[in-house]
Amino acid sequence: MYFGVLGPLLVRTDAGDPVAVPDTKVRTLLLDLLANQGRPVSADRLIDDLWGTRPPRNATGTLQARVSQLRTALDRAEPGARSLVKHGPAGYTLTADVVDSNLFEQHVRTGRLQDALALWRGQPYADQEFARATREHLEDLYLTALEQLSDRGDDVLRQTTALIRQRPLDERLHAVHLKALYRAGRQHEALDQYAELRKALAEELGADPGPELTELHQAILRHEPSLRRPTALPEPLNDLIGRDETLAEAQEQLVGNRLLTLVGPGGVGKTRLALELGRSATNARLVELAPLQQDDVLDALATALGLRDESTDLLPRLLDSLSSRQLLLILDNCEHLDLADLVRRLLAAAPGLRVLATSREPLGLTGERVLDVPPLTPASAGELFRARAGVTDDVTAICERLDGIPLALELAATRVRALGVQGLAERLDDRFRLLTGGKGGPERQRTLRATIDWSWDLLDEEERQMLRRLAVQAGTFSLEAAAEVSDLPEHLLLALVDKSLVVASNGRYRLLESVAAYSLERLSEAGEEAAVRNRHAAYYLALARQADLRGPGQREWLQRLDQEAANFRAAPTSLELATALAWYRYLRGRLGEARRTLAAALALPDQEPALRAQAMVWLAGMAATDAQATDVAEAGEEALRAVGDDPHALWFLTMTRWAYGDADVLFTRIDRAIEAFTERGDRWGLAAALSTRSQLSIVRADLGAMRRDSLRSLELFDALDDDWGRLQATYALIVAAEISGDYPTATAYLEDAVRHAEDLGLWAEVSFRTAGLGRIALLTGDYARADELHEQARLLAIEQSNKSAEEYAEVGLGLTARRQGRLDDAERHFTKWLTWLTQIDGTPGIAFITNQLGYIAEQRGDLATARTLHQRALELARQFGDQRAIALALEGLAGATEDPGRALELLAEAAALRRQIGAPLPPAERFDVDRIKTRINASSPA
């Protein structure tokens, strides 16, 4: 008899018929006996488990009656089964034939995890307190199985979601759940789940998450790459590594299809995979075709099948022999032969025949299923190389250079003994001389060059021309680019894809690095390299100039230029290309790359003056927050002098410096730009300039101007359907809402901005807006969430090498630390940025941080230092004329003043300034003012 406890109680006969167990107490009795797994349970304990503190009057008699009911139910379903329930001196015992929980434990112990999970129907022994230990033991085993299958994201995610409802504070369970969420591409949800758990632990237990869960949370934030019957086939010398997924897919294809062709480039492991498939087949035969000519094929087939026939027409004998056999026929290396008609006739004559072919191109038969065998993943390539070379070093770079091609990795591994890993890596540019093997394999696989030579010799002359001219392409390329740069028709590229010499993926194409190196040699030999490289440079310059990054085509063009980034980098340095790509690189946050390419192009001799001036503007703007130039403000002025009366230059050099430069100079520039854009009818330029002026108005705390310019800019950008523009236009609206204490409006704008920026891939903007959400969390008192958001933003800014975004995020971490009394942490976060702000003339930022350091000194009781710092902040604030910054310094001085009367005067002066500009402190920003007032009141005489 079968008993199931992994979910609702289930009882079945050996024939599979369900057994009805009447009465709740009888079912509870059965569960109690099952939970004890064949151990006797005393009558007293059973009475306590069934009735607790309210047993029936004649408890022993009532228990005996329930036991009798259980025996009757079992015996009625399966005669003789009443004997399963026994009574002895120590109590009652259930001798169960099969219990699903026992099977479950056995499967987990022996690694049959999928079989184990298939038994799980729900929580075992639900709501039965007497079985709590057993239930927790089974749930822990269940969790162990889930952990070991954590790479199967959807299944694990579904199961952990259900289990969390039962164990809401189980950190180990949450760790599996967070990994499953992350692997399902739901990173934000994983971070939200962590935040919810942290809050629940604090509220329920007064504890923080443990170190393992904390480390997992950090890993998610950082996007850490962290988280096989004997046959007549030759036996492999070593294990097949990294092919589980492809092997499973091929096995599935072979079940439903009689002809499967494995295709892929030379050395990718098609033969090895085919042999592995053959070993799992009932009957398999291998025909090695590589050394054969067309006329030798039938004889080779007859030999593989064990046929002897001396007739001159061998084909009918082959067809007759195969007609009644169940067989998997492996035809290895078909690309140089014409086998389509032969394979068609074999399959038609033999219903029990399946053919597994390996080739660099499909056979071309109706009904053929083609499976591309890809190179190994980086992880699998590394595993293979380390296993073959017998090393534990980091071999990532070697595996990348060799494209994850198993043959190349195997050949390279033989060189480690002599050269070492580092020495091998340094010599890979000379790979064709280096990667030669021994005498054990086929001739075509003894060197990397021989492997590619084999494919090259099978091409016609036009295909060879196309392949060698593709060598100048970097990374992936389009069909159009291949045709234009090669000056050859597109169908030749498609033919090379069919022959596995070009890799196609998602409408893009690429050469494996070894094929590219080989093709480049052939290009040089043909004397074509200079002409082809010139066509490459001309094509990609035209593409960069064609890009329309302003308006509705912005998203599509950003994605297209992203795809061509490697080809842009491969083109020779020129002012034309550097300036054509400057706005794209700015949008993508690639400021360092933009600065390097512009500076290199400007260093070239004999440049056209107008183009040179334009490049100077771009470079000055890109360097505005770089802190490497000796005088970034002067660099901007020099660029403006060179370019003349250009409103786009005025706007760009203001936009990149609005938070750091001289506000009067910047306002003058942007007003001139707005006037010029208006006269020219340039709506995009006007919208951009208005958004910048709205941001400049933040420095002067002019809420009316901030809202007025932002709304007009947003109206224009909406009409132009420019998503980047919408992000810029809403920035001052967000700040205005925050200043006014309207946090729901600020949050709505910020969340919408994060979504749009993520959609566009503008990660610097994502960082700024995520930090903005962190500010709102800080102001609304959710300090843990504030730290989490600011840290996300900081790490993202570091990835983007964006100092402004990094500073904004880390200052947010400092603000939260100070609010919580973590003064040393706060001071570390703040002081880190003073040097950088000084280098880029970031006076408003210096004033703000100086105030914060003053508050830290005051909170430590060092009022003299606090007064010095706040006085310095006040002087700086008066320099750039921000009334809110002046008020903040006055409030700081009030806190650092020992005279209560003077402190109240300073607070009143600050409050009047804030009212004057229409920005009184909202309640959430009164942390310091209220703290200072409380101290003043406490020190004043009663």
Side-chain angles (χ1 to χ4, degrees), residues 406-477:
L407 174 63
L409 295 168
E410 301 259 9
L411 292 173
T414 66
R415 293 291 179 261
V416 169
R417 182 178 178 186
L419 298 172
V421 170
Q422 185 61 34
L424 173 66
E426 292 170 353
R427 290 167 173 80
L428 279 182
D429 285 338
D430 193 15
R431 66 185 64 200
F432 296 120
R433 184 178 62 83
L434 179 69
L435 301 186
T436 59
K439 300 178 181 180
E443 183 67 35
R444 71 185 188 283
Q445 292 187 351
R446 292 181 188 172
T447 72
L448 186 58
R449 179 182 294 282
T451 300
I452 305 176
D453 277 339
W454 170 266
S455 296
W456 178 267
D457 291 342
L458 296 175
L459 303 178
D460 63 32
E461 183 52 38
E462 280 195 319
E463 290 171 339
R464 292 175 184 176
Q465 285 181 349
M466 173 62 87
L467 184 58
R468 67 186 180 230
R469 293 175 187 180
L470 290 176
V472 301
Q473 302 283 355
T476 67
F477 50 89

Side-chain angles (χ1 to χ4, degrees), residues 529-654:
E529 185 173 359
V532 177
R533 288 198 182 279
N534 286 338
R535 285 200 298 271
H536 177 274
Y539 174 82
Y540 286 102
L541 174 59
L543 182 67
R545 286 172 166 170
Q546 182 187 352
D548 182 5
L549 295 171
R550 296 173 176 177
Q554 186 177 78
R555 179 180 288 97
E556 289 72 23
W557 271 109
L558 281 169
Q559 292 170 350
R560 184 167 180 188
L561 296 183
D562 285 344
Q563 292 175 326
E564 308 297 358
N567 280 298
F568 291 135
R569 295 184 187 116
T573 301
S574 73
L575 267 185
E576 290 85 353
L577 186 60
T579 53
L581 289 173
W583 182 235
Y584 158 70
R585 286 171 172 154
Y586 180 84
L587 291 177
R588 278 292 183 245
R590 297 174 187 161
L591 305 186
E593 182 177 17
R595 288 192 294 266
R596 289 190 300 274
T597 56
L598 287 162
L602 283 165
L604 295 173
D606 303 323
Q607 300 286 4
E608 195 270 316
L611 190 60
R612 181 177 178 81
Q614 184 183 355
M616 289 173 64
V617 171
W618 285 119
L619 181 57
M622 303 289 186
T625 58
D626 179 38
Q628 299 301 315
T630 54
D631 190 335
V632 292
E634 177 53 31
E637 291 297 336
E638 182 185 356
L640 286 175
R641 287 192 295 270
V643 81
D645 189 20
D646 181 351
H648 285 280
L650 287 168
W651 161 72
F652 184 67
L653 292 175
T654 306

Side-chain angles (χ1 to χ4, degrees), residues 356-377:
L356 174 62
T358 74
S359 181
R360 301 187 190 184
E361 56 184 313
L363 299 184
L365 277 172
T366 302
E368 176 185 24
R369 295 303 297 265
V370 178
L371 178 63
D372 282 298
V373 180
L376 293 174
T377 64

Side-chain angles (χ1 to χ4, degrees), residues 477-537:
F477 50 89
S478 66
L479 186 61
E480 176 192 86
E484 289 291 328
V485 174
S486 69
D487 197 26
L488 291 167
E490 294 176 350
H491 73 82
L492 295 171
L493 172 66
L494 302 179
L496 294 174
V497 172
D498 286 340
K499 292 174 169 60
S500 300
L501 284 164
V502 175
V503 180
S505 178
N506 299 320
R508 302 281 294 176
Y509 304 88
R510 68 182 177 91
L511 297 183
L512 298 178
E513 187 172 332
S514 295
V515 176
Y518 179 95
S519 300
L520 190 58
E521 287 186 6
R522 294 291 192 173
L523 183 67
S524 180
E525 290 170 4
E528 298 175 344
E529 185 173 359
V532 177
R533 288 198 182 279
N534 286 338
R535 285 200 298 271
H536 177 274

